Structures are given as C-alpha cells and as structure tokens.
Amino acid sequence: HLVSTSDGWFDAWLPEGTIQSSTLAAADGPKATFKEGDGSARTIVWAPRNLELEVNSSSGGWVMVNQFYYPTWQGKLQGMQGRLEVRPAMPEGLLEVRVPAGLQQVRLQIPTSWEERFGQWLSVAFLSVCLLTAFRKEHENVSLQNA
C-alpha cells in the first residue's frame, strides 16, 4: 500500500468515530456494496466529485461507496426530484447513501461552490491579462525591430 495509518493524511476530513484500520480494509473492497439491506450495486461513472451507481434491491438500504465522506456530498435518483440521505459509513469514514427498493440509478456529487467558481473566473481573468501583456510585449518588440 502507498498509504499507511502513520502518514497523517487521514486527519484532514476524518468523521468522528472513524477507525483508520477499517478505512484501509474497506479500500480493498468493492467500489459500492450494500452495508445495510440486500441487493447489488454497480459503478457506472467514477470521476472526481461525480459518481453514478446502478443499484438493485428488493428492500432498499444503505450502500457504502468506497469514497471518503465529505459533508457536501449530495445524492439523488436519476430523473427524480429531491435528495437521498448521505452520511459517513462508520467506522470506515466512507460515503454511504440510503437507496429505495427497486432498480435505481443513483448520482452522487460534490457541487461546485460559489468560491470555487469565483476562483476559476479570477484565474481566467488573470490568464487573460498575462496573455494580453505578452501579446503587447511581442507586438512592441516586432514594431521596434521593423523601425
């Protein structure tokens, strides 16, 4: 393993009550599995901040996703209004979502905050200023060489 319990990275967003050895053990398991209830869970999309699962269960229940829990994760059923309950799976500290019975497509996301969007726009603005400055400088150099 590239990660150990002594490297300190677990402490960043660790939900209270997490047992680090349980987290490492769960990381070796499937990407999604029913923790409470019965059924199957299959990964459709696995991207940063965006997960999609297909779950099938006769009774519904809690599905543990092999992804660290963070408080802004949101869950919803594809094509439905309203949110699914999301919480940390304990003692692993991983993401857990409550799904209803039946064949469902579940989307889990961390939405982009206004602070992130502001930072992105600020980056684009400063990149534009840098490119404009470089273009003007190059244009001045060409003008001086032709003079």
Side-chain angles (χ1 to χ4, degrees):
H1 285 283
L2 298 174
V3 177
S4 72
T5 56
S6 62
D7 64 8
W9 74 278
F10 277 106
D11 298 328
W13 298 107
L14 198 62
E16 190 172 328
T18 300
I19 299 173
Q20 295 174 7
S21 59
S22 297
T23 305
L24 288 173
D28 287 334
K31 288 192 177 203
T33 186
F34 272 83
K35 189 168 181 186
E36 294 177 18
D38 64 338
S40 63
R42 181 176 68 89
T43 305
I44 298 171
V45 173
W46 193 273
R49 304 167 66 130
N50 183 34
L51 309 173
E52 288 184 27
L53 310 171
E54 182 180 85
V55 296
N56 192 1
S57 173
S58 60
S59 61
W62 288 97
V63 175
M64 183 173 70
V65 181
N66 199 342
Q67 172 66 49
F68 284 107
Y69 173 78
Y70 185 73
T72 59
W73 277 106
Q74 295 178 1
K76 69 179 200 173
L77 294 177
Q78 207 68 330
M80 303 283 286
Q81 295 293 332
R83 292 190 183 160
L84 297 174
E85 187 177 354
V86 175
R87 69 181 186 190
M90 299 310 286
E92 297 87 357
L94 299 177
L95 181 61
E96 192 171 54
V97 59
R98 184 186 206 61
V99 298
L103 179 62
Q104 312 288 344
Q105 191 165 344
V106 176
R107 174 176 237 164
L108 296 161
Q109 285 186 305
I110 294 179
T112 305
S113 67
W114 71 267
E115 295 94 346
E116 288 177 278
R117 283 192 297 278
F118 178 74
Q120 291 166 348
W121 280 107
L122 197 60
S123 296
V124 168
F126 278 107
L127 177 62
S128 300
V129 168
C130 290
L131 291 173
L132 183 60
T133 303
F135 177 75
R136 283 186 177 174
K137 189 81 163 166
E138 183 64 28
H139 184 30
E140 288 174 10
N141 288 342
V142 169
S143 295
L144 290 174
Q145 288 176 357
N146 290 337

